[in-house]
């Protein structure tokens, strides 16, 4: 047996009710998809901002270390 007896929920609906039900279902699915997309966009924007901050911080650290190496080298040359 592959089908249900009685046709389920949609079998008791009129054509208008069925159409309204399908429209509401489609609208609900669109709303869920929009919310998921908004959440993903927000998450990715936050991640991008963190990456940009980390990039700036790491570049600063790298420059500081490079300056220290150059200073050590220059000091050794001057001695």
């Amino acid at each position: 047996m592959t089908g249900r007896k009685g046709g389920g929920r949609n079998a008791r609906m009129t054509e208008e009710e069925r159409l309204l039900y399908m429209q509401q279902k489609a609208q609900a699915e669109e709303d869920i998809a929009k919310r998921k997309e908004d959440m993903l966009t927000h998450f990715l924007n936050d991640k991008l901002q963190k990456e940009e901050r980390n990039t700036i911080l790491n570049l600063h650290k790298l420059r500081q270390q490079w300056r220290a190496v150059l200073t050590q080298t220059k000091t050794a040359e001057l001695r």
Side-chain angles (χ1 to χ4, degrees), residues 53-75:
R53 280 193 306 261
N54 288 338
T55 300
I56 291 169
L57 180 63
N58 289 336
L59 281 172
H60 178 71
K61 287 179 183 178
L62 195 60
R63 285 186 188 118
Q64 289 293 92
Q65 290 173 349
W66 181 243
R67 284 186 191 122
V69 169
L70 288 177
T71 304
Q72 284 177 341
T73 306
K74 191 68 171 178
T75 304

Side-chain angles (χ1 to χ4, degrees), residues 23-73:
Q23 287 174 343
Q24 288 173 345
K25 186 176 177 182
Q27 182 66 38
E29 289 172 357
E30 285 178 28
D31 291 343
I32 289 170
K34 176 84 168 110
R35 254 186 271 134
K36 282 182 182 179
E37 183 180 339
D38 289 345
M39 284 175 46
L40 182 60
T41 302
H42 184 70
F43 170 76
L44 290 175
N45 282 335
D46 285 347
K47 189 172 182 175
L48 179 62
Q49 288 175 356
K50 287 177 186 175
E51 281 297 320
E52 288 173 347
R53 280 193 306 261
N54 288 338
T55 300
I56 291 169
L57 180 63
N58 289 336
L59 281 172
H60 178 71
K61 287 179 183 178
L62 195 60
R63 285 186 188 118
Q64 289 293 92
Q65 290 173 349
W66 181 243
R67 284 186 191 122
V69 169
L70 288 177
T71 304
Q72 284 177 341
T73 306

